[in-house]
Amino acid sequence: MSRIGIIIKREYLQMVAKKSFIVTTLLVPILTIVVCGVLPVMLSNVKSDEKKTVAVVDLNPGAPFASVLADTDEYIFNNVEMADGAQTMAEAGLHDFYASQNDGGSGLYALIVIPADFEQTARVNIYSDKSVAMSLENTVNGSLRGILRDQRIASYGIDCLATIIRNCDVRLDVRNVKWNAKGEETLSSADLSMIIGLVLAMMTYMFVMMYGAMIMSGVVEEKANRIVEVIVSTCKPIELMLGKIIGVALVGFTQLALWGVILSVVGAAFGIGSMVSNPSAIAGMAGADQAALDASVQALDQAAGGGSLGRIVQMVLSINFPLIIGCFLLYFAGGYLLYASVFAAFGSAVDQQSDTSQFMGPVMMVMVFALYAAMFSMENPDGPLAFWCSMIPFTSPIVMMIRLPYDIPFWQLASSLAILFATAFLILWLSARIYRTGILMYGRKFTWKDILRWIKQ
Amino acid sequence: MYLEIKDVCKAYGSYTALDHVSLSVPDGSIYGLLGPNGAGKTSLIRIINRITHADSGEVLMHGKPMTDADIRNIGYMPEERGLYKKMKVSDHILYLAQLRGMSKADARREMDEWLDRFNLGEWRDKKIEQLSKGMAQKVQFICTVIHRPPLLIFDEPFSGFDPLNADQLKREILRLRDKGAAILFSTHNMSSVEEVCQEITLINKSRVVLQGTVGDVRQMFKKNVLEVTTADGQSFNYSLQPGETMHDAISRLNNEYELTGFKEILPSMHEVFVECVK
């Protein structure tokens, strides 16, 4: 094995064997599944056993509206009979009335007052000494709106008016139809494209940050405990630096692949439903797992009888995954190489971990800017901000992820990638020059001026 | 000559680290590289290791200019020791051995022998961070010599060792010398120089100020003092008068006292060092 191979092997094995790597690799997909899949389902199943009592005062003669409020799983509606309701309440004061109803700790949750002019104003007040749950509002709204609507329709005395209105209530069905290369029609979705772009951009950002920081701390560790002097007496500094960068990259790809496998296995088990709410599973699903995807898609299609689920599936399939994943990996590699070189160079310029911040700051600012640019590019993926930021190599690995699902012109992709890789190799070369001097320099804080001098040396 | 350094110069910016330095290290000998802190020793060692390059001058190995491939013929133990704390002892030794071009099987065989010699056998699967400082230093030593390099460079090898371990290390270094290695030995510990070095070079302020065998150097700096012992148990030092030869002095003393012994006092390397550098 060549020297650089030996170095890559050590970096890789050391990092993969770390507890933190194993924990993150297992924990992240589990957390994603829990947060995106299991938790909402669980939460929606959590209902309190205790039913809450709500008093209803209907000030209309005969209390026609109070009776509409039927008890639910959560609420019991008590119709409070009152002869001269309005007057009684006005005399006692609303709050005292509420208190009197709540007397003896019967636990009145809220008081609903349906005023006498309800039919005209369509206004209902819910009183309580606490914030009222959304579900009560929804229940009241659902029940009372329906009856008021029916009453108003009936008041016009026109036959079949209810049906007419129903027919006029148009709900538009907007379908994005995209022609594929063969001119066949496929369904696409702007929302889905956006989600996929965002997930890819976030992943690139997180990975470059995470693994860049790992490289930096690795370089600083070697320098701080002086092993670097022994290592560079056996190999060239550039070999050590490249070995570290490549070794850590392989760790990153291993982690991505493991996440892809874990998420797609779980995804296939949970069905496509959880996958749609959890697009990282789709992103992580490399070609190797296409079979699993297809299988779950078919199963669900049958189950859903080709309904709206079928449409979602078709939208998912309309996304050009091979292109997106291919480009994602290329941008990921280019962006990583660029930033990892910068991190390695800065790591070599400091004596200990705590000194890294002066160089980290500017890098962080650029990365955060890239992330913001990506967010704003979502609004207009073909606009000037999106275009220029997907050309500038320091932002393109993140911003281009947003644009990828929107079928950008080939020349843009090609030139952006060319610029990215050209810059990455230039930065790598500069970093190597800084690195070979920096790792042997001890004793004081180095400034940007020193670093420029090292490059020129 | 195993290693020859000819007229090497090195400058960092306006600062001259090495100014026309030359020296030669023969096979099977220990060569002392002496000098105060900042004299240029580390710069020279880094040039020999090809970590940095000389601005001018030559480094020859067996008479041929050194190339990158030659670095696997060097074992280098820097003064500031460092190992990867999280690595296992055996993994660490094998890693450095392989980086120096040894096959894994070969490295493993050699490692087992060294670990046994230092009684570290049962520590092979422990992480470096679990070792005591002395043990870690021994691991560092093994990493330096495992690939059987014909040229060894030790920078302050005994610092941090207790006397017992320092003796053990010294025995091993002498054993390697006897097996034919050329050893460049950089230290401030002058008594160890007297004990192990055949030749020395003293660098001060980037220049060679003294060069030769330990015996010659001490002769060169002698103050012409005799230690005289007489029959009545007296013992005193006698300094030669200006123009007086050793022979004159002894015959004069012999007339005055009943001599039982006299010996020329040579300066210690410590005194030589201080006189050259001050």
Side-chain angles (χ1 to χ4, degrees):
Chain A
M1 205 188 295
S2 65
R3 284 186 303 217
I4 194 160
I6 296 167
I7 294 168
I8 291 171
K9 193 174 146 203
R10 189 201 85 89
E11 293 292 337
Y12 182 80
L13 291 180
Q14 283 293 304
M15 210 161 280
V16 168
K18 265 191 194 164
K19 275 199 198 87
S20 58
F21 174 82
I22 299 168
V23 169
T24 344
T25 306
L26 291 179
L27 220 56
V28 167
I30 292 173
L31 278 180
T32 315
I33 291 164
V34 167
V35 170
C36 300
V38 178
L39 214 57
V41 176
M42 263 171 55
L43 285 182
S44 64
N45 285 331
V46 175
K47 288 220 170 92
S48 83
D49 299 336
E50 216 178 319
K51 293 191 176 186
K52 292 171 180 139
T53 310
V54 179
V56 183
V57 176
D58 187 350
L59 300 177
N60 294 280
F65 299 109
S67 55
V68 176
L69 288 167
D71 292 353
T72 67
D73 287 345
E74 264 183 287
Y75 301 105
I76 298 170
F77 293 102
N78 274 346
N79 195 355
V80 182
E81 305 266 353
M82 272 198 286
D84 257 326
Q87 213 169 341
T88 319
M89 278 193 12
E91 278 165 14
L94 211 51
H95 187 255
D96 287 350
F97 176 75
Y98 178 76
S100 74
Q101 290 292 312
N102 203 8
D103 199 32
S106 61
L108 188 63
Y109 181 67
L111 169 69
I112 298 175
V113 178
I114 304 171
D117 58 355
F118 174 66
E119 260 182 83
Q120 285 80 48
T121 60
R123 202 183 65 215
V124 183
N125 291 340
I126 302 177
Y127 298 96
S128 182
D129 50 9
K130 37 195 163 289
S131 309
V132 171
M134 187 69 96
S135 59
L136 179 61
E137 247 181 76
N138 290 341
T139 310
V140 170
N141 191 6
S143 308
L144 294 184
R145 202 178 58 162
I147 185 149
L148 201 59
R149 191 165 170 269
D150 290 348
Q151 273 192 12
R152 284 189 182 176
I153 289 171
S155 71
Y156 287 98
I158 300 168
D159 285 346
C160 309
L161 186 57
T163 322
I164 294 168
I165 288 174
R166 219 176 6 259
N167 283 342
C168 295
D169 190 5
V170 178
R171 189 164 284 176
L172 213 57
D173 182 6
V174 182
R175 296 189 177 200
N176 291 350
V177 181
K178 198 177 86 182
W179 284 299
N180 66 13
K182 292 178 206 149
E184 293 163 343
E185 291 182 359
T186 57
L187 281 175
S188 76
S189 153
D191 284 345
L192 191 65
S193 302
M194 210 172 79
I195 292 171
I196 290 172
L198 191 61
V199 168
L200 293 182
M202 289 301 287
M203 272 173 67
T204 311
Y205 173 79
M206 270 175 43
F207 261 75
V208 169
M209 278 313 241
M210 223 165 81
Y211 287 103
M214 270 187 210
I215 288 188
M216 188 145 152
S217 68
V219 171
V220 177
E221 187 207 345
E222 276 170 359
K223 192 182 167 185
N225 73 17
R226 313 272 172 158
I227 181 110
V228 73
E229 182 135 7
V230 175
I231 306 281
V232 294
S233 72
T234 67
C235 68
K236 294 202 181 84
I238 178 98
E239 288 177 315
L240 178 59
M241 180 173 132
L242 263 185
K244 192 174 275 300
I245 288 176
I246 295 171
V248 171
L250 292 179
V251 174
F253 282 123
T254 307
Q255 193 158 49
L256 270 182
L258 283 176
W259 284 352
V261 169
I262 295 175
L263 283 174
S264 54
V265 166
V266 176
F270 268 68
I272 196 84
S274 67
M275 277 203 206
V276 171
S277 65
N278 181 8
S280 58
I282 297 166
M285 184 169 293
D289 296 300
Q290 195 64 37
L293 177 73
D294 286 344
S296 57
V297 166
Q298 273 175 11
L300 272 148
D301 239 349
Q302 283 161 7
S308 65
L309 255 183
R311 261 184 72 189
I312 293 173
V313 168
Q314 212 190 337
M315 284 174 195
V316 170
L317 293 181
S318 78
I319 307 268
N320 190 348
F321 281 111
L323 177 79
I324 290 184
I325 291 171
C327 284
F328 168 67
L329 292 179
L330 276 176
Y331 276 99
F332 186 88
Y336 168 80
L337 188 64
L338 193 154
Y339 279 102
S341 316
V342 172
F343 279 120
F346 288 162
S348 74
V350 299
D351 280 3
Q352 51 201 359
Q353 299 291 357
S354 52
D355 294 341
T356 53
S357 52
Q358 72 161 319
F359 297 116
M360 276 292 269
V363 184
M364 290 283 289
M365 260 162 59
V366 174
M367 298 247 350
V368 171
F369 169 75
L371 194 62
Y372 272 99
M375 303 273 195
F376 285 108
S377 299
M378 284 196 304
E379 309 263 316
N380 185 4
D382 290 323
L385 175 79
F387 174 78
W388 287 111
C389 286
S390 63
M391 287 295 160
I392 298 168
F394 291 94
T395 53
S396 67
I398 294 175
V399 175
M400 195 54 113
M401 292 304 109
I402 296 291
R403 302 186 62 202
L404 267 183
Y406 295 96
D407 298 304
I408 35 173
F410 176 76
W411 72 266
Q412 287 191 14
L413 253 187
S415 43
S416 158
L417 274 172
I419 295 172
L420 174 63
F421 275 93
T423 316
F425 282 112
L426 177 72
I427 297 274
L428 180 69
W429 180 77
L430 286 175
S431 294
R433 294 185 74 85
I434 298 170
Y435 180 85
R436 61 168 195 197
T437 309
I439 46 172
L440 296 171
M441 295 284 192
Y442 292 100
R444 65 187 182 90
K445 278 197 168 179
F446 297 102
T447 59
W448 291 96
K449 228 169 114 185
D450 292 311
I451 288 182
L452 275 180
R453 200 159 42 78
W454 296 347
I455 292 175
K456 286 186 208 142
Q457 251 175 32
Chain B
M1 281 304 150
Y2 192 82
L3 175 74
E4 280 172 278
I5 290 160
K6 285 190 174 162
D7 240 7
V8 162
C9 297
K10 175 77 183 174
Y12 298 104
S14 59
Y15 175 73
T16 307
L18 292 170
D19 189 2
H20 298 281
V21 170
S22 303
L23 58 86
S24 336
V25 184
D27 298 89
S29 80
I30 300 179
Y31 194 102
L33 180 62
L34 318 180
N37 295 320
K41 294 180 309 237
T42 305
S43 295
L44 182 61
I45 289 173
R46 282 182 177 170
I47 287 169
I48 300 171
N49 274 309
R50 302 187 76 78
I51 293 172
T52 52
H53 295 278
D55 297 338
S56 66
E58 273 184 306
V59 180
L60 306 177
M61 265 184 157
H62 272 313
K64 286 189 211 107
M66 204 180 152
T67 63
D68 276 343
D70 286 324
I71 56 174
R72 61 178 52 177
N73 294 324
I74 303 179
Y76 171 41
M77 186 158 91
E79 179 180 4
E80 299 275 1
R81 316 289 159 69
L83 298 165
Y84 289 110
K85 293 187 179 61
K86 300 279 177 200
M87 268 181 112
K88 277 194 216 161
V89 170
S90 55
D91 288 348
H92 206 306
I93 296 174
L94 292 178
Y95 174 59
L96 285 172
Q98 284 178 283
L99 270 184
R100 291 203 149 98
M102 265 186 130
S103 77
K104 199 164 183 177
D106 211 10
R108 197 179 287 279
R109 205 172 324 113
E110 198 75 5
M111 173 180 77
D112 290 344
E113 205 184 308
W114 277 107
L115 286 177
D116 286 345
R117 184 168 288 146
F118 281 118
N119 294 321
L120 287 170
E122 57 201 83
W123 293 87
R124 67 173 64 232
D125 290 329
K126 295 278 192 296
K127 286 188 178 166
I128 300 288
E129 60 189 354
Q130 294 170 287
L131 267 54
S132 73
K133 195 179 170 202
M135 284 193 276
Q137 301 248 40
K138 288 179 185 171
V139 172
Q140 184 112 38
F141 181 80
I142 297 175
C143 291
T144 310
V145 300
I146 185 160
H147 56 297
R148 295 181 291 257
L151 174 63
L152 283 161
I153 301 172
F154 294 115
D155 199 348
E156 290 294 351
F158 303 122
S159 75
F161 277 98
D162 64 39
L164 226 62
N165 283 325
D167 277 347
Q168 189 182 12
L169 195 68
K170 196 189 295 166
R171 279 199 302 277
E172 293 303 331
I173 291 175
L174 291 174
R175 202 174 61 87
L176 289 166
R177 177 199 66 188
D178 295 342
K179 284 167 101 178
I183 298 170
L184 190 63
F185 186 89
S186 165
T187 186
H188 294 131
N189 182 341
M190 292 302 139
S191 62
S192 66
V193 172
E194 281 168 34
E195 281 176 60
V196 301
C197 292
Q198 279 78 57
E199 282 180 66
I200 61 118
T201 286
L202 199 158
I203 300 179
N204 189 26
K205 293 180 183 144
S206 320
R207 291 164 181 272
V208 174
V209 292
L210 187 62
Q211 205 160 47
T213 65
V214 171
D216 287 350
V217 166
R218 290 175 71 188
Q219 284 292 336
M220 217 189 297
F221 281 79
K222 70 181 176 189
K223 295 281 187 292
N224 292 331
V225 178
L226 288 171
E227 187 187 79
V228 183
T229 327
T230 60
D232 53 0
Q234 251 188 336
S235 168
F236 59 90
N237 288 352
Y238 174 80
S239 299
L240 264 60
Q241 306 300 315
E244 193 179 23
T245 65
M246 191 76 72
H247 186 261
D248 296 342
I250 290 167
S251 43
R252 194 157 72 83
L253 286 165
N254 203 17
N255 290 336
E256 289 176 40
Y257 302 98
E258 190 179 341
L259 294 182
T260 54
F262 56 90
K263 189 172 112 191
E264 187 177 27
I265 295 183
L266 289 175
S268 68
M269 282 308 293
H270 180 95
E271 288 161 324
V272 172
F273 183 94
V274 170
E275 193 166 330
C276 282
V277 168
K278 75 179 174 206

